[in-house]
Amino acid sequence: MGAEQSIEVRAAGGDRAAFTALMTATKADLYRFVRRYVGDEAEAHDVLQEAYASAWLAMRRYDPARPFDVWLRSIALNKCRDWSRRRAVRHVVRGIMGLDAPEATAVGDDAPSPEARLDHQHKAEALQRALSDLPDTLKAPLLLATLEERSHAEIASILHITPKAVETRIARARKKLAEVLAWSPREGA
């Protein structure tokens, strides 16, 4: 290798400063993905921290030939799935299902009326509940495509499935959301 190593290679070699730079470069996008997946701001921060901690611990096994963001997204997705399993266990133990954490429902001051703001809040909450209730196999590809604007090939690489499976799962997720929310697939997803 030449004198100039990529930041990923330096991080894979144990360089904390390089890993910190990678975290800084990826944090905003990764947080948006995790936040949308788990539906709770505080929980999303915890899951994000778990993802970065796991990435640091696995960094020496990272293959710099593979895109770092794809590798990191796979780790974050696994942490989101772990969170979902823990949530399901809590649900069974408590006997309740709920998103008891308040949603971020801020609507701009130019909202036409309190009724319109309330309607928007209810729709946002319904969408978040519907997204949370989607099976992981449908939720992950939908969020990666719509929120992250990733191609089917990138999503396939992250999820270790075929691009055709990505396409099918996104279509199923949109259909399920449309059924739950009684919106057309173009409006609701």
Side-chain angles (χ1 to χ4, degrees), residues 6-13 19 22 54-73 75:
S6 71
I7 192 168
E8 293 88 353
V9 169
R10 292 193 329 262
F19 184 77
L22 287 171
S54 290
W56 173 250
L57 292 173
M59 199 65 209
R60 292 192 186 273
R61 294 189 312 266
Y62 166 67
D63 176 8
R66 184 175 178 201
F68 180 76
D69 66 326
V70 170
W71 179 77
L72 181 60
R73 187 83 47 192
I75 291 172

Side-chain angles (χ1 to χ4, degrees), residues 117-129:
R117 290 176 63 184
L118 186 60
D119 183 53
H120 181 268
Q121 178 181 344
H122 288 302
K123 284 183 178 178
E125 289 170 352
L127 178 59
Q128 186 58 55
R129 277 191 306 274

